[in-house]
Amino acid sequence: MEPLNLPRYEIKVKKACGRLAIFDILRRKYVALTPEEWVRQHFVHYLIEHLGYPSGLMANEKQLQIGDKHLRCDTLLYNRDLQPQMIIEYKAPSVALTHRVFDQILTYNLLLHVDYIVVSNGLQHICCKTDYEHQKYLQLNTIPEYEKL
């Protein structure tokens, strides 16, 4: 897998059923090692180890339902009242972070009404704060530490 624009961490990888798997600390199990999963695991470790995000308030692969449509959030962060606070969407490093990527995460936010949305392909990370009063998203320069959310 290619190097990312994220800090290194102690990666746990094993071979399972002839394929590589990486340990997901939030789901507490090994999952298929895809380019997107490579980004997810690095990003989750970055949030926990460098920005102070509590792992107990995060969930990977969270299922959502809008009408008959079933969606899957890559990572969802809850606040201390267990209300959704941040949606994080990951793409493989080869995928550009376009408006189409943002449209996907904005669809999730129609249901969740979170304060922050984040997209990352491991090389570029974009974090926006939701301004519900003016119905827009404000792009931040950095991803805030948990205590500053």
Side-chain angles (χ1 to χ4, degrees):
M1 293 287 165
E2 75 178 85
L4 302 175
N5 183 21
L6 290 162
R8 293 176 170 255
Y9 76 97
E10 189 176 325
I11 301 165
K12 294 180 183 175
V13 176
K14 73 175 187 176
K15 199 162 195 173
C17 302
R19 296 183 62 187
L20 288 178
I22 189 167
F23 188 74
D24 181 330
I25 60 168
L26 299 183
R27 290 179 275 183
R28 296 182 180 101
K29 66 178 184 178
Y30 281 89
V31 296
L33 178 54
T34 64
E36 183 178 311
E37 196 63 46
W38 181 249
V39 172
R40 180 197 332 259
Q41 293 309 315
H42 278 78
F43 202 88
V44 166
H45 279 269
Y46 168 64
L47 293 175
I48 294 167
E49 296 169 11
H50 296 272
L51 298 180
Y53 284 56
S55 62
L57 295 178
M58 298 172 72
N60 281 340
E61 298 286 326
K62 184 67 178 166
Q63 294 289 338
L64 306 173
Q65 185 174 349
I66 299 176
D68 293 341
K69 192 171 185 177
H70 292 273
L71 305 170
R72 177 195 49 81
C73 247
D74 285 343
T75 301
L76 190 56
L77 170 74
Y78 296 90
N79 63 23
R80 299 209 185 274
D81 296 324
L82 300 182
Q83 298 301 310
Q85 187 172 25
M86 179 185 283
I87 303 168
I88 308 166
E89 180 68 23
Y90 308 105
K91 296 298 178 190
S94 61
V95 177
L97 301 183
T98 64
H99 284 287
R100 187 174 183 183
V101 171
F102 270 92
D103 288 344
Q104 178 182 358
I105 200 168
L106 295 179
T107 300
Y108 300 159
N109 202 30
L110 290 174
L111 178 64
L112 296 173
H113 305 284
V114 298
D115 295 328
Y116 297 89
I117 59 170
V118 177
V119 292
S120 176
N121 63 6
L123 303 173
Q124 180 184 11
H125 324 293
I126 301 172
C127 179
C128 296
K129 181 163 180 28
T130 309
D131 180 350
Y132 288 104
E133 183 179 342
H134 298 101
Q135 298 182 342
K136 62 182 180 177
Y137 293 91
L138 307 170
Q139 187 170 340
L140 305 178
N141 292 327
T142 60
I143 298 162
E145 294 175 2
Y146 181 76
E147 293 304 322
K148 295 181 180 177
L149 295 179

